[in-house]
Amino acid sequence: MAASDDEASPVGTLVIFIVFLAGILALTFWTIRKADEEKKASARKSINSVGRESELIAEHFIGGRSLPLIYVMLTLVGSSFSGYTLVAVPADFATNGWSGARWFSSMMAIHLGTLAIAPRWRRLGIRRLYVSPLDFIADRFRSPVLHGYAVVAFLGPSLLYLSAQVISLVGLLEGAFGGFVPALPVTAVLCAMMVAYEWMGGMKAVAYTDVIQSAVMFIGTAIGAIVIHSYW
């Protein structure tokens, strides 16, 4: 007996999901190998251990300050508009109606604030060789107590943001596959994979995978608009 559309659809979604993961893994291994080559080249060029260590830190955490502009743009898109955008915001609109529009104004406020300070911050970061925004606080105020407070202030919201991404991932897997794929174990494996490729590949691995993620979001949103228009 032929399977119904509802029974067959998780299989097709699973195939696309596996292909997407395979692409991410291939890109990750390529990035890790390239990062190792660049670290060796950096070690050969550095005259002293302090300079070599500084270059390796910059290579891992900010891509050696050499990421192409398009990668920087797409990784910002992938970081700003991800799990909560695809899951939480539509759910908020569906549950609470037009009050969900507050997400638009809040995101505009965040980006306008960033545009106001980022150019000057970037110029200072290049001149002073900052790797993190926390470097500015440490350099400007020279206070270990204030620096420790800033670390906690950065870490708390980051953990909440990451928690939202994990919850969104569980929801997406449950919605896409139902009971066909166990959502929690798969989510745990994916989170472990993300930690591994970021640990080994650094910022470049994150940026390259964000390029794929942003492309998927752009294409998926366009296709979703066409499907919604066709059906409703």
Side-chain angles (χ1 to χ4, degrees):
M1 184 172 64
S4 65
D5 291 341
D6 290 339
E7 293 173 342
S9 58
V11 177
T13 306
L14 182 60
V15 170
I16 296 173
F17 185 63
I18 291 173
V19 170
F20 173 75
L21 286 182
I24 292 290
L25 285 173
L27 184 59
T28 299
F29 286 126
W30 175 79
T31 306
I32 292 171
R33 192 176 75 171
K34 187 175 180 182
D36 288 338
E37 293 173 354
E38 290 174 350
K39 286 178 182 177
K40 292 176 183 177
S42 175
R44 287 193 296 268
K45 289 189 296 183
S46 297
I47 298 175
N48 54 65
S49 60
V50 176
R52 180 164 64 250
E53 182 179 356
S54 177
E55 288 184 10
L56 291 177
I57 290 174
E59 180 66 36
H60 183 84
F61 287 105
I62 54 176
R65 298 185 175 89
S66 61
L67 284 173
L69 179 60
I70 186 65
Y71 290 168
V72 175
M73 291 170 57
L74 290 177
T75 196
L76 285 173
V77 170
S79 299
S80 301
F81 304 98
S82 49
Y84 81 94
T85 315
L86 299 177
V87 178
V89 175
D92 191 11
F93 272 100
T95 305
N96 301 313
W98 284 105
S99 66
R102 69 186 184 279
W103 290 99
F104 302 138
S105 58
S106 63
M107 287 303 297
M108 287 180 64
I110 291 170
H111 290 302
L112 288 174
T114 303
L115 286 173
I117 65 173
R120 186 177 179 184
W121 211 345
R122 178 180 178 274
R123 288 194 297 270
L124 186 62
I126 292 174
R127 188 163 63 247
R128 305 287 288 183
L129 299 179
Y130 293 158
V131 174
S132 159
L134 296 173
D135 289 343
F136 166 75
I137 296 173
D139 186 30
R140 172 66 178 82
F141 298 101
R142 306 299 173 101
S143 170
V145 175
L146 181 60
H147 185 256
Y149 172 79
V151 170
V152 175
F154 270 67
L155 186 61
S158 297
L159 289 175
L160 293 175
Y161 180 81
L162 290 174
S163 299
Q165 308 312 308
V166 174
I167 293 170
S168 299
L169 181 57
V170 174
L172 282 172
L173 291 173
E174 289 177 343
F177 303 118
F180 191 73
V181 170
L184 287 176
V186 172
T187 300
V189 171
L190 293 177
C191 289
M193 188 178 77
M194 285 186 281
V195 171
Y197 77 67
E198 183 170 352
W199 186 285
M200 293 184 288
M203 183 61 193
K204 285 186 177 179
V206 176
Y208 294 153
T209 52
D210 276 346
V211 169
I212 297 179
Q213 175 185 328
S214 299
V216 169
M217 287 196 292
F218 281 131
I219 296 171
T221 301
I223 294 175
I226 295 170
V227 171
I228 290 172
H229 177 73
S230 300
Y231 279 89
W232 292 288

